[in-house]
Amino acid sequence: MTPTTPPRPTRDDREALIVDSATQHFALQGFEGASLDRIAEGAGMSRHRLFYYFPSKEALYLRVLDDIVSQWLDNMVALSAADDPQQGLRTYIEAKMRHSMEHPYGSRVYARELLSGASRYREVIVERVGPVLQHDLATLQKWAAQGRIAAVDFTHLMFVLWSATQAYADAAPQYALLLGKPALEAADFDAAAALITQMVLELLQPR
């Protein structure tokens, strides 16, 4: 039999390799500390070749953030798409926790950008995250008006949910250390999601 020639990587394949490598380096070193030489090496190409796909370090950084936000927003649709408040909130929290488990480096890149004042990504956050948040708030307010959940400060409730779930990506090394294990396991994320869900549902129990 004649051996088959493996398909050549497409441009999208190569960009994905670069973005994956860049996400890890930006998460660990920050924008200023990340090296394009190391990012290119991680993607299996030269620095010169990397510039064929991304013209600058900032362009690559913004692409990484765009992908992170897109993944994050995909997980936010569960709430407004739900008919039942309890199921919608449960699915939303589980999706956010799953994102923290599957994309820890991406979460840390985003957290670093926020901690630095979001100077490079401020407008995108307002334009992309803001409308989705407002849609989710409208859903919660509708359920409260129908008497299906208690009325609380839903904006800060969402901020608390984001913080609680994202912490399992950003602070995962600390949590694993205190649990006496080398890394968090899927069961740890499931347990955290169940506890957060329980607290939220009890808080929103109609009075």
Side-chain angles (χ1 to χ4, degrees):
M1 294 180 61
T2 303
T4 58
T5 303
R8 296 183 62 184
T10 65
R11 181 185 179 91
D12 287 345
D13 293 334
R14 293 190 180 97
E15 284 190 6
L17 287 173
I18 296 170
V19 170
D20 285 346
S21 178
T23 301
Q24 181 172 346
H25 281 82
F26 286 135
L28 298 175
Q29 307 297 332
F31 176 79
E32 300 296 341
S35 162
L36 285 178
D37 288 325
R38 298 294 298 276
I39 292 172
E41 181 183 352
M45 64 182 67
S46 67
R47 176 190 174 110
H48 177 75
R49 185 67 173 170
L50 183 149
F51 281 124
Y52 177 77
Y53 299 96
F54 296 96
S56 67
K57 184 177 179 180
E58 183 157 356
L60 176 54
Y61 180 69
L62 294 177
R63 167 62 184 274
V64 167
L65 285 170
D66 283 342
D67 283 6
I68 294 165
V69 169
S70 294
Q71 294 162 357
W72 190 44
L73 293 180
D74 285 345
N75 290 323
M76 289 178 68
V77 300
L79 189 61
S80 58
D83 293 325
D84 176 65
Q86 291 196 1
Q87 186 57 47
L89 287 161
R90 181 176 290 106
T91 302
Y92 180 88
I93 293 168
E94 289 173 352
K96 291 286 294 164
M97 191 63 74
R98 186 169 59 253
H99 182 269
S100 290
M101 179 176 67
E102 295 175 353
H103 304 281
Y105 287 122
S107 180
R108 292 170 200 169
V109 174
Y110 190 74
R112 276 181 173 270
E113 174 64 15
L114 297 181
L115 289 172
S116 69
S119 59
R120 293 182 173 86
Y121 212 63
R122 181 186 304 270
E123 293 181 2
V124 181
I125 293 173
V126 173
E127 292 171 0
R128 296 189 62 190
V129 180
V132 178
L133 172 61
Q134 292 305 315
H135 196 196
D136 285 346
L137 293 177
T139 298
L140 293 168
Q141 289 160 359
K142 178 187 70 176
W143 287 338
Q146 294 170 345
R148 302 171 73 184
I149 60 174
V152 300
D153 187 328
F154 292 123
T155 301
H156 286 286
L157 174 64
M158 296 302 289
F159 292 166
V160 168
L161 284 182
W162 295 353
S163 300
T165 52
Q166 189 168 331
Y168 279 81
D170 302 341
Q174 174 182 245
Y175 296 168
L177 181 64
L178 295 174
L179 287 170
K181 55 181 64 176
L184 293 181
E185 302 166 350
D188 298 314
F189 290 91
D190 291 342
L195 179 62
I196 295 169
T197 300
Q198 179 183 354
M199 291 190 297
V200 170
L201 293 183
E202 289 182 2
L203 171 70
L204 296 180
Q205 188 70 26
R207 306 293 191 264

